[in-house]
Amino acid sequence: MSSTVGQVIRCKAAVAWEAGKPLVIEEVEVAPPQKMEVRLKILFTSLCHTDVYFWEAKGQNPMFPRILGHEAGGIVESVGEGVTELAPGDHVLPVFTGECKECAHCKSEESNMCDLLRINTDRGVMIHDGKSRFSIGGKPIFHFVGTSTFSEYTVVHVGCVAKINPLAPLDKVCVLSCGISTGFGATVNVAKPTKGSTVAVFGLGAVGLAAAEGARVSGASRIIGVDLNPNRFQQAKQFGVTEFVNPKEYNKPVQEVLAEMTDGGVDRSIECTGHIDAMISAFECVHDGWGVAVLVGVPHKDAVFKTQPMNFLNERTLKGTFFGNYKPRSDIPAVVEKYMSKELELEKFITHEVPFSEINKAFDYMLKGESIRCIIRMEH
């Protein structure tokens, strides 16, 4: 790789030119990394629902042309000025949020909401100079959440890069850079169910299944999956889900159904849909005295929900979490080790694989609800 250091790299990237239109594989120029940046050679990336949401340009400022992608694994090609903790050849996972290690959040043991590098979906350029590192024929192409992994090479802030065990297979652990860590961490780091407890998971997409996996690893005795799509129930058994509730099959609120099933409520609930009704149900279904509900799903920015204050006074707790409360650089390498020691299973999340040239198939699989995770293999 040494021959490319300090040079512009020409490579293939999948560019979103306009909302909802298939991505186009283009030759792009990728500039060298600037101060506190690294340039990565992406080997595997996967499609997350967040990519689809911004590709569809629903409910946020549309920004095109853009290179999407944020769940990936790769190798450091070169580093910019001031980067000391990473070197060419290191195996890494880029992450959509970061850890500067300097701010109050990074110095806090409780928070992972870095002031400098927390997710910013409206920023299409690098923090250092407000410019893009991608261009086609001299015209800039916007970045996405600081990662833009639908490109053979990308430039990322050093604080958004987790250095991992080089023996870990990147085609598996790449899914830990977003959705799987978000759900798994919501359970093990925030809900913290005890052995033998009952856990309800709302929404059985990739994040919800990862939350269920966290409950399974924690030794929960009952894991109740709540979803409007009965086709997801069979698949969810692999992730430790023991019972299923489809709210459409009842003529009363699902929180009442769950309370009846569990002698007054579940011990922990994790909400992974982002829908207001599910959030209320997830909170109101936990047991008084000790129940904890954790919100993971992202709602519309103007959304509000109502619940009676007595639900809190009766000693129920409601928490929110972001990226499973993991600090990207400090914590994600240890999650990779959980996979390496077979404590955490990742293969079952990966339902499809396509070559980079067929990236639009990954969108089709997700839009049809056929995939949990589709790995996109770069063809360097």
Side-chain angles (χ1 to χ4, degrees), residues 139-160:
K139 295 202 170 118
I141 308 290
F142 291 116
H143 291 252
F144 176 63
V145 297
T147 51
S148 291
T149 61
F150 295 166
S151 175
E152 292 176 330
Y153 288 86
T154 188
V155 177
V156 181
H157 191 285
V158 66
C160 300

Side-chain angles (χ1 to χ4, degrees), residues 8-10 17 27-31 65 131-142:
V8 170
I9 289 179
R10 283 182 177 75
W17 286 101
E27 185 178 80
V28 299
E29 289 102 38
V30 185
K131 292 179 180 163
S132 173
R133 302 286 172 262
F134 297 111
S135 59
I136 296 180
K139 295 202 170 118
I141 308 290
F142 291 116

Side-chain angles (χ1 to χ4, degrees), residues 93-114:
L93 303 181
V95 182
F96 63 90
T97 185
E99 182 185 355
C100 71
K101 300 199 173 180
E102 304 289 317
C103 71
H105 284 277
C106 287
K107 288 182 171 166
S108 152
E109 286 184 14
E110 294 176 51
S111 176
N112 66 338
M113 305 277 293
C114 175

Side-chain angles (χ1 to χ4, degrees), residues 142-251:
F142 291 116
H143 291 252
F144 176 63
V145 297
T147 51
S148 291
T149 61
F150 295 166
S151 175
E152 292 176 330
Y153 288 86
T154 188
V155 177
V156 181
H157 191 285
V158 66
C160 300
V161 179
K163 180 180 173 180
I164 63 162
N165 182 342
L167 298 177
L170 289 170
D171 61 332
K172 306 291 188 290
V173 298
C174 65
V175 298
L176 290 173
S177 66
C178 175
I180 309 312
S181 294
T182 295
F184 189 79
T187 303
V188 301
N189 295 335
V190 187
K192 297 180 178 170
T194 53
K195 202 170 163 60
S197 59
T198 59
V199 178
V201 177
F202 288 73
L204 298 173
V207 175
L209 293 173
E213 177 77 357
R216 183 189 72 77
V217 168
S218 301
S221 62
R222 294 174 73 186
I223 303 172
I224 304 169
V226 182
D227 201 294
L228 297 170
N229 180 356
N231 298 335
R232 289 177 153 178
F233 292 169
Q234 201 54 39
Q235 195 174 40
K237 289 180 182 171
Q238 288 176 265
F239 299 83
V241 176
T242 55
E243 296 151 79
F244 302 98
V245 173
N246 181 345
K248 283 196 287 204
E249 292 175 4
Y250 299 88
N251 53 11

